[in-house]
Amino acid sequence: MADLETFRSETRAWLEANCPAEMREPVRDEDDAYWGGRRAKFKNDAQKAWFEACLAKGYTVPAWPQAYGGAGLNPAEAKVLREEMSRINARPPLSSFGIWMLGPALLHFGTEGQKQRFLNEIARGEIRWCQGYSEPGSGSDLVSLQTFGEDKGDSWVVNGQKIWTSYADHADWIFCLVRTDKADKYQGITFMLFDMASIGVSTKPILLISGNSPFCETFFDNVSVPKSYGDDCPAYVGQINRGWDVAKYLLGHEREMISGAGGGDRTAAIGAVMKRAAARTGDELDPVLRAELAMFDVDALAYTAMGEKFLDEIKVGKAHPAQPNMMKYVGTELNKRRHELMMAAGGSRSLEWDSEETGGGKPSRGWLRTKANSIEGGTSEVMLNVIAKRILDLPGA
Amino acid sequence: MADLETFRSETRAWLEANCPAEMREPVRDEDDAYWGGRRAKFKNDAQKAWFEACLAKGYTVPAWPQAYGGAGLNPAEAKVLREEMSRINARPPLSSFGIWMLGPALLHFGTEGQKQRFLNEIARGEIRWCQGYSEPGSGSDLVSLQTFGEDKGDSWVVNGQKIWTSYADHADWIFCLVRTDKADKYQGITFMLFDMASIGVSTKPILLISGNSPFCETFFDNVSVPKSYGDDCPAYVGQINRGWDVAKYLLGHEREMISGAGGGDRTAAIGAVMKRAAARTGDELDPVLRAELAMFDVDALAYTAMGEKFLDEIKVGKAHPAQPNMMKYVGTELNKRRHELMMAAGGSRSLEWDSEETGGGKPSRGWLRTKANSIEGGTSEVMLNVIAKRILDLPGA
Amino acid sequence: MPLYHNDDQAMLADTARGFMAEEGNITKQLRHWRDRNCKDGFGHGLWKQMAEMGFTGMLVGEDDGGLGMGHVEAGIVLEEIGRNLTPSPFLTSSVLAATALKHGSADVKGRYLPGLIAGDSVFAVAIDETAKHRPSRITTRAERSGNGFRLSGSKSFVVYGGSADMIVVAARTSGSDDDDDGITLFAVPKDASGMSHDAVRLVDSSMATHTKFDNVELDGDAVIGEVDGGREVLNAMLLAGRVGAAAEGVGVASGAMDMTVDYLKQRKQFGRLIGEFQALQHRASHLYSEVEIARAVTIKAQQLLDANDGAGSEKAELMVAVAKAKVGRTAGLAVREGVQMHGGIGMTDEYDIGLYMKRDRALQEFLGDANYHTNRVAELNGY
Amino acid sequence: MPLYHNDDQAMLADTARGFMAEEGNITKQLRHWRDRNCKDGFGHGLWKQMAEMGFTGMLVGEDDGGLGMGHVEAGIVLEEIGRNLTPSPFLTSSVLAATALKHGSADVKGRYLPGLIAGDSVFAVAIDETAKHRPSRITTRAERSGNGFRLSGSKSFVVYGGSADMIVVAARTSGSDDDDDGITLFAVPKDASGMSHDAVRLVDSSMATHTKFDNVELDGDAVIGEVDGGREVLNAMLLAGRVGAAAEGVGVASGAMDMTVDYLKQRKQFGRLIGEFQALQHRASHLYSEVEIARAVTIKAQQLLDANDGAGSEKAELMVAVAKAKVGRTAGLAVREGVQMHGGIGMTDEYDIGLYMKRDRALQEFLGDANYHTNRVAELNGY
């Protein structure tokens, strides 16, 4: 405990010294974060300085082993670091699907060779990854995917189409589910890693209702993927035809992550903020809106407590393994409701789509963006199915 | 139109002259109504006078043909009578499942002999009927019923058990669904009519959570039911083994009735009433409760308009035949919500179970009673299934 | 009066449905003008066509060259506008401004009605001054000046204000900000000097303005109705606009629902049509019920307004508030369920369901959202 | 502190669960006393057993002969009381009155605590004066009279008031009805002359009284805490009682949910277990989520209260209101879904699910319902 307090004061001092003021403001949107990769550019010096300071300490991936580019913090230390960063609103130095998704899969399923190579690249922000899961005909029913890798001995030739590949147009590599055995639905999928610069890969951004295009359609036209990238470094995670195990593990991890992203309790309750915003224009909240905000705040504050309990329980292995599905379901539905209420409180001003006063339509675009929360990473309907089956043990679920 | 206005003024005058003051107060509960039957007793002279006055005019069943005890009013006249009765809050002179349920079935499916006998008995309040549909294993899935009538040539021998038979312990006769062919699920049910005094019939009231017992379990132990009650008067409605057609027709009619019973718009909105009730104790509504009442009132007033539209459309055959399912679903869910809000507004006083001040716990017992609304006559879940199938034409519904 | 369309109205509904589906559909209108970043946000050609159909002047009295129809009829057109997400100045011009102009002098009528009826003019209304609808508080001031008035203040959420040939402005000519009396309505022409617009595109691709009045000089004959007695006209205009917005909202809700129910019958997941999943069936059935009810109460409100020649009986006022509130919640449910049930593709600009969500949001806000009108229902009921 | 039970608490939970399921179950307690029309509405035998388990004095300080435990521990017992619908004076005596007595003089403590700890005494609290919970308004008056006070007024919803050996009464000793100051708490003994009870049975078969105080003479040492300074003690008592009621509500919700989920696995309709129907699955999953969240926020509120020795930090006060509101809505959902999913038999007295609905209703109302506390959350957040 004393060590932890030492660590806390050291961390605090280090952050004080190394985290520039500009990096202590909330990330405005996805483009405002640093994503790394071959074509990465820093938006400003502060972003660069902060990234490099963290990189030197292993703080781009603080809980990963030092051998793979992390700081090797234990869970208690990692929590202290999170708390201290959150205390000063420090931004993450590096945003990356490599950190959030591929990394955990490799830590769990990867060979030593894969870890040495890919985890270090991720930690250093050298390679930007994207995820190739969904296909036009396979959304919630992911396992029905059709993208096929034909076995050519030392390589596969991959053909097919992915959809909802986040920032595929900016990504360097993809981790991708590919069918390698048509006979077995579940045990015929391989979790492949390959370069997006490979011949035959093309991407097309999808314009969303929010006006942004964070996702792409990605097409594979006779893409040749070697089975190995060298000693102890296969081009697939886990075993050939057993990629579904890796995908399931990652989906669980993703839901855990999404469910943890509900935000601290500083932002959970919005009624007071909305009242102050109204007051700034000499207005006050409609009484019915006020009641709806209060009902929301009750739910949001209660969910914050649930989030805390969930994280505490995960740490000691007390949480039901399907609990992330519940957290994801409730958290995303709440976030949609939060933005509905913010739009209602904001009135006609928040309808503006590209005015300067609204920062280019942040309220309305942000509101529309939240509608994907309950679709991506497993729909609310799928979450409810999973709870029924795995937690409530209902028949036929 | 002129005729109708004449009819209206005559009706108004007649009601003025014949409807006693005591009969112009809302029926307090099911025991406060006059149900007729062999063992019927009038609660007071007013009830008797009102019943007899109506009987003489054919107003116990105003829209039925005069030959069967009605007044033979056309739909427009019947509506005028309803409006004029409603204007002075006149009670129905006779409450009866014969009027509401068996009558419509006989009018549609009955033989002339059945109509002559049974409809007249119903109109005169001589025979009190109960309905034998549900069985312990057959609730929503009514057609799975097991009560069996063994064919003995001129009669059936009926064995089995019914549940939710309304006032079976007070009823004289039962209209009852009995399986007469075990091979065919739908086309093996007969809609039988028989005397509850038959040997082998027994009833046991079911104590409800409201503390009342309007329903019974009804047991048939080798009950002999003759196939005919005389010339052109079979003991079954429609055809043998085709009772499901009658039952379906009646279920539709029941839902229509329930959906029409949502109450006029004088009682639909409750917020103002609740505010006045609070004010009488020097209290005011909690702001969040007020908002919930307002949201309810919006829904209730909108539903009232829907009810009006529905009745208007039924009259000219414009309503979708499955629309009563929608009306039943929404109306019963609204009524449950209404009573939840009334309990909330009433506070601790409305929790009282048998105090004099609450008329023996009327608020709480009434509230509990409403919970059956969305179960009896087809559950809300079944209603939603029917809408999905018959109106939205969704696959596999 | 029965709560369904009579034969004439049913015929109008057929016509309007066919016409709007053909000419006002999403591809021809909403996407067309949006993708061209049109500064009006709607097509003048369609407006002219609507005039030829007789729509533009349907609420204008026959004496004034219109069709003298009522809110039921206007609602029929608006429901089709809603169903097709047709960007159109119909609600602001032919419903709101037209209702105000009913109370105008022969002079004012003569100046503006022919253009409206011919589809040559477009009108807007300027009521709100903050981001929420607060018609009880009017701070924009018009002071006597010579034979006329001098108008100063600012208005927001003036839908199609930048394209309008005339804007009906509610201003205070006496009393203090929250007074009921002391309001006057003015017909402010497009070229009035001192009026300036800050145009904003809204989430649904429609255009609105923040409009400033800086000592705008108006003739005395710009007044609609009585000086200081404009509250009544304003209320009539608001009632007409709200029940119109409700009708359009029913169209939006219906269109979103129909599109979603169709999708449930086409999309397969887990080897089944998703419409086979009972959880979705129940939600669709619930939504259907709500849309039916929203439509019913809207017709009820229209009939009550028409019965009273638009003047707004107590009962009509209540039912208009109920309708706007009920439609608001229902259309919100319809578009949310629509996007969610469409899944990922519901989030894409390529599919139309998201456009319904955007239009609903803007329409919701116009002339008071569901919260505002729910609160009004409580107030009108005395609690 | 992590938001789950530590080892000691987990052990207590095991013990309490086993004990209440065995001795406090519906057949042995609720139905037993109800069907005998018991005037107390609970069993003194079980109360004595709970004393032997150490439950009755768990919130009483060790110096005063209790166990000196906190609200987390009391909540553990209360959740089991809720799950078993056990009629028990635990909440009024061991939580509410015990919290008030913490602030009492040695004399008051000595008079009442031993009886509580031994399970010989039962206490009640008299706060509400109207049918709704309005603790900010206290009109019952206590006037100085000799060395003591003379109490006049009336209180309603005094749960177990007729069986109580002592009632904690909140009265006004100065100021006007809505003042924060000027409140004094009194420990009024059972035999106080001038106190009369009108006993009523409630929907959940518990007993409560409307209690009148007609110039009840009280000694000066009947005062708990400071004269005129009782608001703080009252608040501490309310916080303890509310978080306790929330914990009991979590038990009610959990019990109703478990019973319902079990039923979904047994009941067949249309040839399938009804738990196979996706629409019911989704509703059950949603309910599960809500119950988990309600439990989490209740533990959070308990820990915050305990961290502050029950005195109620700003954050604790907020989270207690959140907990009572969230649990209120959740338990309401649980019992409504429970009865509906049970279908017809859910309406019968023979099945227990209806008893959960009745208990929820009464518990809901106790110390402020979900609407009251939702409004409080808004107020505490400054809007």
Side-chain angles (χ1 to χ4, degrees), chain A residues 38 171-174 193-199 201 223 225 229:
Chain A
R38 290 176 192 150
D172 304 311
W173 276 58
I174 188 168
L193 313 174
F194 56 90
D195 196 321
M196 289 289 280
S198 308
I199 293 167
V201 177
V223 177
V225 177
Y229 296 118

Side-chain angles (χ1 to χ4, degrees), chain A residues 102-150:
Chain A
L102 179 59
L106 288 173
L107 283 166
H108 195 270
F109 292 96
T111 64
E112 185 55 32
Q114 287 176 319
K115 291 179 189 172
Q116 286 289 351
R117 169 171 174 181
F118 294 121
L119 293 180
N120 274 299
E121 285 177 352
I122 291 167
R124 292 194 301 262
E126 292 168 356
I127 299 290
R128 185 166 176 182
W129 288 84
C130 65
Q131 180 199 54
Y133 275 25
S134 296
E135 300 183 5
S138 308
S140 289
D141 183 17
L142 193 53
V143 82
S144 67
L145 60 91
Q146 302 291 321
T147 292
F148 185 64
E150 197 187 341

